[in-house]
Amino acid sequence: MTVTNAMPQNRTLTRAVLVTVTFVTVAAGVFVAAVWTSPGQTVDQLFYNVSRDLAPIGDIPEFASYNVLASPLVWAAVALGVVALVGCRRFVGTWSLRHAAISAGSLLVFMPVMAYGAGFLRDHVLPRPQLHEWITQTSNSAPSGHAAAAAAFVVVLVRAAHPILRLPIAVVGGTWAAIADFGLVADGWHRPSDVIISTLLVVGIGALLPDPWRGHESRSPVWVAWAAGVLIIASATAFAMSYYSAPAQLITAVVIATVIAAALMIADLVTRGGRLESAR
């Protein structure tokens, strides 16, 4: 590795660290505002109450249900997808088995660490003060382990894919994650802030994951990334509102989808690296 080749990598790593620090800081800010302040608890709980009090007008398709997040088959499928996508690196340019193994291993470990780590934070680290007597759900529910798993699935699949495939995978995965996260709120499992915090934490920390396609530039222009974000918001909101029609539910769905779309697109844009002369 020459000094010239190392410079773009150093800049990419610096940007990735900045993304992680920023996203974790914003997630902490959301937690403080929504959990530790009286107005925050009021707004968060009101949207939660409205969203869960209205039943869907039809049966939610199983693929869009948050229940799939607990399925071992889904976890296995995502893991196999990661391995297959990283394995494609062998057919494009230089190939380092060691780097591929480290990348794939990191991506596979990332999923359970994020899901169970969110649960550990929720149950053993982060307290929730009772600031309103009318809020009967006094236990802490942030961050959401299910939402963390959904975000982790999308992050690892996007990271494992060739740069030219990352935005399409982000659109499909981000839309699915937004729908599943809204379902967690609509069915009364989590407050809106819970899934937002999980998304910010997972996408932010995911920016530090090793890139198996290091040395391959992203070919999509910046405006395509923002268009992909808009598509995530529009698709997830349209799907959610075909089953839930209350204004508060619409706002909740839009906010969740917007956070997921913005997080994925910002992480993609900021952590893009230039083409290296050599990936050895």
Side-chain angles (χ1 to χ4, degrees):
M1 178 72 69
T2 65
V3 174
T4 302
N5 292 338
M7 290 178 60
Q9 290 186 35
N10 292 335
R11 288 196 295 267
T12 300
L13 177 59
T14 300
R15 291 196 297 266
V17 171
L18 289 175
V19 168
T20 300
V21 172
T22 301
F23 277 35
V24 171
T25 301
V26 173
V30 173
F31 180 83
V32 171
V35 179
W36 288 354
T37 70
S38 177
Q41 277 199 8
T42 298
V43 173
D44 202 28
Q45 190 71 26
L46 286 175
F47 277 96
Y48 166 73
N49 288 341
V50 173
S51 295
R52 69 171 183 160
D53 285 345
L54 296 176
I57 59 177
D59 293 333
I60 304 296
E62 186 62 27
F63 76 88
S65 170
Y66 57 85
N67 291 321
V68 302
L69 296 168
S71 171
L73 292 177
V74 173
W75 282 75
V78 174
L80 288 174
V82 167
V83 173
L85 288 168
V86 172
C88 291
R89 178 71 171 82
R90 182 174 183 272
F91 305 103
V92 181
T94 57
W95 165 255
S96 169
L97 181 59
R98 177 177 175 273
H99 179 63
I102 292 174
S103 299
S106 300
L107 295 173
L108 295 176
V109 170
F110 181 77
M111 295 188 293
V113 167
M114 289 296 99
Y116 290 103
F120 181 82
L121 285 175
R122 179 190 66 231
D123 298 335
H124 302 290
V125 178
L126 300 176
R128 180 183 176 86
Q130 185 174 9
L131 303 180
H132 300 282
E133 293 184 358
W134 59 273
I135 299 179
T136 58
Q137 298 83 13
T138 58
S139 60
N140 182 43
S141 58
S144 164
H146 282 79
F153 288 169
V154 180
V155 167
V156 298
L157 288 173
V158 169
R159 195 68 160 177
H162 186 283
I164 204 170
L165 298 176
R166 287 179 175 175
L167 284 181
I169 291 176
V171 169
V172 175
T175 299
W176 169 79
I179 293 169
D181 285 359
F182 176 72
L184 289 168
V185 178
D187 277 8
W189 290 103
H190 282 283
R191 302 174 177 92
S193 64
D194 302 345
V195 299
I196 291 173
I197 293 168
S198 292
T199 298
L200 293 171
L201 286 175
V202 173
V203 177
I205 297 173
L208 295 176
L209 288 169
D211 187 354
W213 295 88
R214 184 182 63 200
H216 287 260
E217 64 181 351
S218 176
R219 295 179 175 83
S220 57
V222 172
W223 70 266
V224 175
W226 292 119
V230 172
L231 185 57
I232 291 174
I233 298 171
S235 301
T237 302
F239 185 94
M241 296 318 300
S242 64
Y243 294 93
Y244 298 90
S245 57
Q249 291 173 317
L250 170 62
I251 295 174
T252 303
V254 170
V255 170
I256 291 174
T258 299
V259 170
I260 291 177
L264 290 173
M265 294 310 109
I266 291 173
D268 172 77
L269 292 172
V270 176
T271 58
R272 289 184 183 189
R275 181 182 298 277
L276 304 180
E277 296 299 326
S278 172
R280 291 175 294 183

